[in-house]
């Protein structure tokens, strides 16, 4: 099972490079695109910095489709093939600047990426009905799925966990106020180790950890896993 770390692209270059270097013990990285619809450095740029720092680490570009058209998605796919990136597609939050494009669905974006031989993924929310989740796994052609809003590892029972990467938000003293604003399930840092081990027993392909910028907590947690 891979343990992946989320890296937010908002930091200045020097700090970002330091964070990337500190997270060397992780198997790979996920970089979100314009979190909350706010402008930020392109995740492909951050991914390139990671690739030149760690040649063999997994790098997942978490790409919004709400702001993109086919030309951009083809260009991103070519870039990802060249740099050995995976891409996960999501509609994303409404942009805080400018207007939505919004006509390319994440499922269509997966098809475009796979034309170039890129490992392409989608999102699954555990707040959907069981029928909707199972149908999404059956009818979409993604290579993997980031699992959102997971509260209990037992929710994964009887699903094909070999293509699932649960997204786990680790709540710490430093980030607890931000965690409240997100209104998503979190795991207290002192319980995260047991939660991750339970996911491992379910047979998931990986776990994506976010401490909402508290990278020290991620590093301490990784030492225990």
């Amino acid at each position: 099972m891979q343990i992946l770390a989320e890296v937010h692209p908002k930091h200045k270059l020097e700090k970002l490079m330091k964070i990337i270097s500190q997270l060397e013990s992780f198997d790979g990285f996920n970089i979100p695109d314009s979190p909350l619809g706010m402008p930020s450095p392109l995740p492909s740029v951050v991914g390139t910095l990671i690739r030149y720092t760690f040649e063999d680490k997994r790098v997942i570009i978490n790409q919004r489709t709400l702001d993109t058209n086919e030309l951009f998605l083809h260009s991103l796919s070519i870039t990802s093939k060249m740099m050995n990136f995976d891409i996960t597609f999501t509609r994303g939050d409404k942009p805080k600047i400018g207007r939505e494009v919004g006509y390319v669905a994440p499922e269509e974006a997966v098809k475009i990426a796979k034309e170039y031989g890129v490992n392409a993924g989608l999102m699954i929310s555990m707040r959907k009905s069981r029928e909707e989740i199972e149908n999404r796994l059956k009818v979409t052609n993604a290579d993997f799925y980031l699992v959102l809003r997971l509260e209990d590892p037992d929710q994964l029972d009887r699903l094909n966990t070999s293509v699932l990467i649960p997204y786990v938000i680790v709540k710490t003293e430093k980030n607890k106020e931000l965690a409240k604003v997100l209104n998503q399930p979190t795991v207290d840092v002192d319980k995260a180790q047991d939660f991750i081990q339970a996911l491992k027993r379910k047979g998931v392909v990986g776990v994506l950890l976010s401490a909402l910028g508290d990278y020290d907590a991620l590093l301490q947690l990784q030492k225990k896993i």
Side-chain angles (χ1 to χ4, degrees):
M1 181 181 76
Q2 292 184 325
I3 306 296
L4 310 173
E6 183 172 72
V7 176
H8 282 261
K10 62 182 180 180
H11 307 288
K12 292 184 178 180
L13 181 58
E14 183 178 351
K15 183 176 181 180
L16 182 60
M17 294 302 296
K18 182 178 179 181
I19 289 169
I20 291 170
S21 179
Q22 289 175 334
L23 297 175
E24 182 177 6
S25 59
F26 285 83
D27 298 310
F29 304 89
N30 177 79
I31 308 126
D33 175 40
S34 298
L36 302 178
M38 296 295 292
S40 67
L42 295 174
S44 57
V45 173
V46 180
T48 299
L49 295 175
I50 293 172
R51 178 59 66 233
Y52 276 95
T53 305
F54 304 120
E55 183 177 348
D56 298 324
K57 299 284 188 183
R58 186 175 189 179
V59 176
I60 301 176
I61 302 299
N62 198 322
Q63 179 61 48
R64 298 157 50 92
T65 64
L66 203 55
D67 315 309
T68 62
N69 61 14
E70 291 95 337
L71 176 60
F72 175 84
L73 293 170
H74 280 270
S75 296
L76 177 63
S77 299
I78 293 169
T79 301
S80 297
K81 183 65 175 178
M82 180 175 68
M83 299 304 300
N84 191 25
F85 298 156
D86 295 350
I87 314 174
T88 304
F89 293 102
T90 179
R91 285 190 61 79
D93 298 306
K94 290 185 177 182
K96 302 298 184 184
I97 297 175
R99 292 177 292 179
E100 302 172 17
V101 179
Y103 67 87
V104 182
E107 293 79 7
E108 184 63 30
V110 166
K111 293 179 182 177
I112 292 173
K114 289 174 72 68
E115 289 177 13
Y116 295 91
V118 175
N119 203 41
L122 289 169
M123 306 287 188
I124 285 182
S125 172
M126 298 309 294
R127 290 192 179 174
K128 299 289 187 180
S129 70
R130 187 73 178 194
E131 181 180 0
E132 288 176 298
I133 292 169
E134 291 177 348
N135 187 61
R136 187 164 178 77
L137 288 171
K138 288 178 182 177
V139 304
T140 53
N141 193 30
D143 296 301
F144 63 95
Y145 300 82
L146 291 188
V147 181
L148 306 180
R149 302 186 181 278
L150 178 71
E151 298 186 38
D152 187 330
D154 288 343
Q155 291 176 276
L156 302 181
D157 286 348
R158 298 181 302 281
L159 295 177
N160 178 13
T161 55
S162 67
V163 294
L164 301 184
I165 302 176
Y167 177 62
V168 179
I169 300 176
V170 180
K171 186 172 69 175
T172 70
E173 188 64 28
K174 184 176 178 180
N175 70 25
K176 64 182 182 181
E177 295 305 318
L178 178 56
K180 287 181 183 178
V181 174
L182 291 178
N183 191 30
Q184 294 190 43
T186 60
V187 179
D188 289 340
V189 66
D190 58 345
K191 298 179 181 178
Q193 182 181 359
D194 291 339
F195 192 88
I196 294 164
Q197 291 302 326
L199 290 173
K200 184 177 182 179
R201 291 192 291 272
K202 297 295 182 182
V204 297
V205 68
V207 175
L208 171 57
L209 300 180
S210 173
L212 305 177
D214 189 351
Y215 296 108
D216 290 335
L218 282 188
L219 288 170
Q220 292 304 314
L221 181 58
Q222 171 65 346
K223 293 176 182 178
K224 301 175 183 178
I225 301 172

